[in-house]
Amino acid sequence: MRQRLGALLRRAIPAALFVLAGFWADDRGAFAGLNDQIGDARAALVPRDASGEVVVVAIDAASLQAVGVWPWSRRVHADLLTRLTAAGPRDVLFDIDFSFAADPAGDRAFAAALDASGVAYLAGFVQRAAPGSPAITTNLPLPAFAERAWLAAVNVVPDADGAVRHYPYAVEIDGATVPSAGSLLAGAYVGSLDAFPLNLSIRPGSISTVSAIDVLEGRVPPETFAGRSVVVGATAVELGDQISLPIHGVQPGPVVHVLAAEALAHGAVPVTLRPGLVLLALFGAMLAFQTFGLRRPVAGLVLLAVSLGAAEAAALSAYASAAILVPTAPVYPVLGAFVLWQLVGKILASAWTIRRQAAEIRDTAALLGTVFEDSSDAIIVVAAGGEVLRHSRSARQLLHCDGQDRTALPDPLRRHAEALLNGQLPAGDGRRCCEVACAGRTRLLDVTGSLSMAAGAGGDRTTPRPIVTPSVRDVTVERQQAERIAFLSDHDETTGALRRHAFLDRLGSRLEAGTPAAVFVLRLRGVESVNSLLGRDVGDELLARVARRLETSEPGVPAVARLGGKSFAVLSGAPLDAPAADRLAQRLLEDIEEPFSSLGIAVSVGASVGYTVRPAGAASTAAEVLNQAEAATQIAEANRLARPMLYDPALADRQLRARRIEREMAAGLDRQEFEVVYQPQHRVADGALVGSEALLRWTSPCLGPVRPDEFIPIAESTGFIADLGRWVLRRALRDMRNLPGHLSVAVNVSAAQMGHGTLMADISDALSDAGVPASRLWLELTETVLLDGSGGLVETMSDIRFRGVRWALDDFGTGYSSMAYLSRLPIDKIKLDRAFVAGLGDDPAALPVLRAINGLCRSLDLPLLCEGVENDEHLAVLRAHGCAEAQGFLFARPLSLPDFIAHARACGADPAADGGRARGAT
């Protein structure tokens, strides 16, 4: 009996601890979110219809279109109230902001209608003075209205996930307790500031709803409202009174008030069961699992799963029949942790048993095995005269054996053993490395011999005699690998050419000796095409052929190096003056451009060549000379020169400025020297403002204005573009908070940002920080990014697009690979390069190109935005051909944020009006 009681306590105590932990966590709200999700799911499974006792008169899109621009004249509301009053409703709630004065005649008409009705409620609410501000403002009806109607609070408070699950009985406004709209409609006001849970099983779609314009024009029968409560409010999305509900998504504010009234009026307010009862049942389930489930874990887990399913079914039935919320959320984490703890304990106990048995097996194997036979090295026991007494398994595999399984020592090993036996080698000098013919192949062996005295060797088993035990290791592969590594430390694996540091060593030796030197740097063109069309193997072979051709271009070339992916350097072996160096550079260029026909197909590549000549005794380091040649090559490549480029000292000034820009950028960002300006984007059809492109500008105190095309490439090459791009994203999205919600902003993304790996996180952080919807952000990607051929480009773009951000392909038509990518890139818009728009009216080819690209966009269902629109003639052509959007100096030059806000107001998109008239969820 005592043993049974002890076993029961050992099972009960852990279960009780887990249950107490569940109590503790539940008391601190750890499972509130999960309980909400479970409750939402139950409500979705048992939908019910509204009673029809409350009718919504919707100020919808049709009403706005028929009556006019919001806010309406109060005369319209007066007419609406008069028609409703005539139908004999129980009461009428206006979920509309009447806190500001409008036209005096309309205000007087609405006050008179309130006097005549006597059944009206007007909305009052509190809200923050500005986003993020702690200040609270109160919106109450004008005194002329308030004294003729009852006040109803229309505030709702969302949960942490942004969804509204609870509704207040009343709200404190200016120190007074104001009944909520739902309480007044249901006639269930209890004088409490508490909130009750909404019954989300009531379907919003079942609520009786009529359009305000139908009421105003007499198309709704009066019996629709007779004896019923009526809620007049905004349902049009553009009026902003939208509230997020679980299950039902975003719903108009009037619908939420009706859902609350329905729950109160029909006793359908959900009641939450105490979690203690649930956790007590969980305690019993834990004891049952410990008692029976651990004997058969699979059956026990199945039983637990069935029990949980039955419990959830009962909870669903309780909610459907009596609106009782059973908080089962603590069950899952507590029970899961408990079962995991039990299983882990069982696994650890089994693992300990296995480890103990394995240790016994290893000890036994160690006693039975022999170090001699298990050695990875070939071990041989040699007696005087070269007699092999014994050899290991490795020796048999390495050295050949005769027919009697005896290993014959190769001569180098035999001589080494005899030297040790005869004392010809000093103590401790028993290690040798020798080449031996083994099994028909020459092997390099590392031999370590040790001399010792062994008894029982040979016929005389009592007298010790000397023996040598050579330990032989085949180091052929290791030596080859070491030689290969030594070679690759100075040579490029693909081409066999020198690496940069080895080339600098050769060049430095010549300069230190006072020998004149000419250095040529070639950067190939067309290698990417070879890789794409013929494969990477052919591309690597092409680079190797280029290196060999450079080595033979001049007799006695002392050094050819591969500096990067497609850059090579050549050091002249003979002193050259400037004319001779130019001739050699031209010859190198011609040699490279000669087709390579030994690759199975004639392959041609081009090159940009730069060079520098250092006379004897010039005070220059090898790195400086090579940098000068590379700088000349960069100029030749940037300017697409078809001839070699000699280093110009003026390049040093530009390089110095580039380095100063590189040093100043980070500090400039910290000192807030950068700013973002916005170029407006307009719809072509009606000229409406639809968004802007964010453009980065930098004015440095020490450098002056620095052009983007000057500092952006430097930022990309140093990796600073990630910080700069992150700053532009945050600034642009924060500025968007000051603009109407329908305006978007486009931010440029460079190839370096796409490859940096933090772009997705930067976008998410910027959107979260600004509180701006992802749909307002466009990312512009130029065709040059596509030329890099990044394998993860499409995946990265798709991940970002899934977040809600949209992509635009910028500078379309300037590259050559975009057509191949359009079919699989997640692009939402194409921006036509300004060069095509500038030619309209002058270049006869410009209009056909515009038609073709616009037709392509229509077939792909992509809007076309045309850049560089500078005059009315351009705009007329774009409008005639149905282009979607445009930007350019015709509309405005890039503007600061205040100027852009003024431009938006001038275009009819007033930020203040956009957010100040329509009330959203608070």
Side-chain angles (χ1 to χ4, degrees), residues 529-559:
S529 298
V530 174
N531 290 335
S532 300
L533 298 175
L534 302 178
R536 178 70 65 177
D537 293 340
V538 176
D540 290 346
E541 179 61 24
L542 171 64
L543 295 175
R545 299 291 177 87
V546 168
R548 287 196 289 272
R549 188 174 287 186
L550 292 175
E551 290 171 351
T552 58
S553 60
E554 180 189 25
V557 171

Side-chain angles (χ1 to χ4, degrees), residues 188-208:
Y189 172 55
V190 296
S192 171
L193 293 174
D194 294 334
F196 59 91
L198 292 170
N199 193 322
L200 298 173
S201 64
I202 302 174
R203 295 189 305 107
S206 66
I207 296 173
S208 298

